[in-house]
């Protein structure tokens, strides 16, 4: 198995926290465990913040997946991290695939990705993953 590359972006919590700490009068927003994705256009400050950040993360992630797929058509994309499950659900993955027009990228959510990395390191150059 070969890694072709990756990207890390700040998650929802860090972006909300950064806005709250760096601007006047912006409230701290916390995504609930069962948070529902709101539409693009909101009518109040709190939901406008949710919309702006959520839509930017989801749209940006779709763009990354499409670009990766165009460069590595046989590659797989793995989403992980604290917001990984929420992001995966918002990308509308269907049977492990992200439909992007003519693109049909393989996308996976893996909560324990760091554990696989530690196993690979322990196993040496040819891990049984």
């Amino acid at each position: 198995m070969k890694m072709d590359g990756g990207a890390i972006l700040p998650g929802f919590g860090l972006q909300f926290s950064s806005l709250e700490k760096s601007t006047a009068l912006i409230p701290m927003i916390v995504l609930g465990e069962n948070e529902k994705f709101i539409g693009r256009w909101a009518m109040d400050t709190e939901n406008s913040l949710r919309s702006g950040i959520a839509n930017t993360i989801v749209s940006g992630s779709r763009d990354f997946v499409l670009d990766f797929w165009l460069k590595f058509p046989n590659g797989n994309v793995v989403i992980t991290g604290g917001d990984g499950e929420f992001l995966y659900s918002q990308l509308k993955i269907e049977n492990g695939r992200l439909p992007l027009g003519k693109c049909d990228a393989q996308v996976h959510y893996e909560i324990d990705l760091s554990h696989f990395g530690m196993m690979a390191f322990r196993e040496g150059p040819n891990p049984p993953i």
Side-chain angles (χ1 to χ4, degrees):
M1 183 175 282
K2 175 181 153 256
M3 181 169 160
D4 293 309
I8 298 173
L9 80 129
F12 295 99
L14 181 58
Q15 290 194 45
F16 287 132
S17 173
S18 180
L19 276 174
E20 187 260 340
K21 288 177 182 165
S22 302
T23 57
L25 305 176
I26 297 290
M28 179 58 185
I29 308 292
V30 177
L31 286 178
E33 187 173 318
N34 295 316
E35 185 81 23
K36 297 288 186 220
F37 189 60
I38 63 162
R40 186 164 292 217
W41 308 113
M43 300 301 291
D44 58 65
T45 301
E46 185 172 321
N47 283 320
S48 293
L49 289 166
R50 289 173 191 271
S51 173
I53 290 173
N55 281 296
T56 298
I57 289 174
V58 172
S59 297
S61 296
R62 281 183 169 284
D63 184 66
F64 269 99
V65 171
L66 178 59
D67 186 64
F68 183 85
W69 183 83
L70 291 171
K71 288 178 175 56
F72 309 102
N74 296 318
N76 289 293
V77 174
V78 180
I79 296 173
T80 191
D83 297 317
E85 186 173 16
F86 181 77
L87 177 58
Y88 185 83
S89 73
Q90 297 309 310
L91 287 172
K92 309 288 190 270
I93 307 300
E94 300 169 5
N95 299 318
R97 297 185 111 41
L98 176 61
L100 291 168
K102 294 180 182 177
C103 167
D104 191 24
Q106 283 282 341
V107 181
H108 309 277
Y109 168 65
E110 181 52 63
I111 193 169
D112 293 320
L113 186 62
S114 61
H115 298 290
F116 290 126
M118 288 185 283
M119 286 180 357
F121 179 76
R122 187 183 73 223
E123 296 292 329
N126 297 310
I129 295 178

